[in-house]
Amino acid sequence: MRIRATVAALSGALVLSALAVPAATAADGGPSKQDVVRAALKAADGKSAYTGSTGTDTGTPYPLSVTFSNVKVNSGKPIVAGPTGHVVAPVTYTVTHSADVDLRADDTWVDVTLYRGSYDEPANFLEGDNWPVCTAVSATVDTCKGTVDVRPADDLYNVDATTWKATGYVIDWNDVDPYSTDDIDWSKVGVADQDNLAAVRLQRRTAVTVNASPEPVRKGATITATGRLTYANWNTGVYSGYAGVYAQLQFRKAGTTTYSTVKSVKTTSTGGLSTTVKASVDGYWRYNFVGTNAAPAIAAAGDYVDVR
């Protein structure tokens, strides 16, 4: 099932943070970690923790003194994903907390995850496969390293090629069994979350080709440079033509190291590229795409043409 379908079925404040955990289920087929975090954050927001539960939720989680800072997702660079596969983006951050909060305790959950859309009703979210590793800097400061794991076939649609926000949470269960849906005393559970920690762009991986012909060619004759610009289609799991954008036809004279732009060429409805130039000297031709918000820059390997 696409994650977006799961997210769309949820509503209410703090839903995004509630989703931000590995979606493993309890051994006895009980609630997933995702369900448990959602319950804790809803309880902290004064809402019913376990809708439809036969048990009785009691109390309200107490607020933890926790602040996230220095959040970096993928070292500040866009996350670029192909149509399939698995991309692991590092996430690092600092957590400042009161001395009674132990982020390394077995019963304390901490994570930073990504979402797009609104905080209360996210359109999609991404998380790490594993919990982060936090290291104490002092009694009140930890540095944490985690990941966001992206599997385009399961996690993404083309509309997800946009800017995402990072949000973080800490839940201190204080020896309360998080998977016990009956008669939880929420007053024993500490909860904190924080939004707008960082922003990162997700992009659809690009590919571009070039073929300059004929080879060899007489000086002054016409060279035709064809190619195709494609990018990852997260809806279909393949590469598709990138229509209606421009790529630069560039030339590098043999014996030199620098390409110069000769002209800009607009892609066709299927991402096709084609134009003509006059042959002058030996050298390499390529198409260079400077990138857009949705797709990163890329340049084709140069195609050598011998001019005689």
Side-chain angles (χ1 to χ4, degrees), residues 219 223 249-262 278-286 302-307:
K219 185 175 182 178
I223 294 174
L249 179 66
Q250 298 183 327
F251 178 72
R252 175 169 68 87
K253 183 179 178 181
T256 67
T257 59
T258 303
Y259 278 92
S260 297
T261 298
V262 177
K278 294 294 183 181
S280 58
V281 295
D282 296 349
Y284 300 84
W285 295 92
R286 73 176 186 183
D303 185 19
Y304 181 77
V305 175
D306 178 14
V307 178

Side-chain angles (χ1 to χ4, degrees), residues 178-304:
Y179 293 103
S180 175
T181 61
D182 294 336
D183 302 320
I184 289 181
D185 184 355
W186 289 105
S187 65
K188 296 180 179 179
V189 180
V191 174
D193 72 335
Q194 188 176 340
D195 191 25
N196 291 317
L197 299 177
V200 63
R201 185 174 296 278
L202 264 68
Q203 293 183 317
R204 299 160 61 180
R205 189 178 300 280
T206 48
V208 66
T209 61
V210 67
N211 180 49
S213 62
E215 305 172 47
V217 64
R218 297 190 312 275
K219 185 175 182 178
T222 297
I223 294 174
T224 300
T226 59
R228 188 169 184 240
L229 177 64
T230 58
Y231 61 165
N233 189 324
W234 294 334
N235 292 349
T236 62
V238 297
Y239 280 93
S240 298
Y242 200 170
V245 294
Y246 285 89
Q248 302 167 340
L249 179 66
Q250 298 183 327
F251 178 72
R252 175 169 68 87
K253 183 179 178 181
T256 67
T257 59
T258 303
Y259 278 92
S260 297
T261 298
V262 177
K263 62 173 68 175
S264 292
V265 182
K266 190 176 183 179
T267 60
T268 67
S269 60
T270 59
L273 293 160
S274 182
T275 191
T276 58
V277 292
K278 294 294 183 181
S280 58
V281 295
D282 296 349
Y284 300 84
W285 295 92
R286 73 176 186 183
Y287 278 112
N288 177 63
F289 175 60
V290 298
T292 62
N293 288 338
I298 193 170
D303 185 19
Y304 181 77

Side-chain angles (χ1 to χ4, degrees), residues 38-122:
R38 180 168 72 246
L41 293 176
K42 281 189 174 182
D45 199 41
K47 299 184 178 182
S48 175
Y50 285 103
T51 302
S53 171
T54 58
T56 301
D57 300 322
T58 60
T60 301
Y62 62 88
L64 295 176
S65 177
V66 171
T67 302
F68 291 83
S69 61
N70 302 321
V71 178
K72 288 189 178 180
V73 180
N74 204 38
S75 302
K77 299 177 292 185
I79 299 173
V80 179
T84 59
H86 178 198
V87 177
V88 180
V91 182
T92 59
Y93 48 95
T94 300
V95 183
T96 303
H97 52 84
S98 55
D100 60 340
V101 175
D102 182 2
L103 298 186
R104 293 164 306 288
D106 291 339
D107 59 353
T108 300
W109 293 1
V110 57
D111 207 0
V112 166
T113 62
L114 302 180
Y115 74 97
R116 73 167 182 86
S118 70
Y119 181 62
D120 291 344
E121 297 184 16

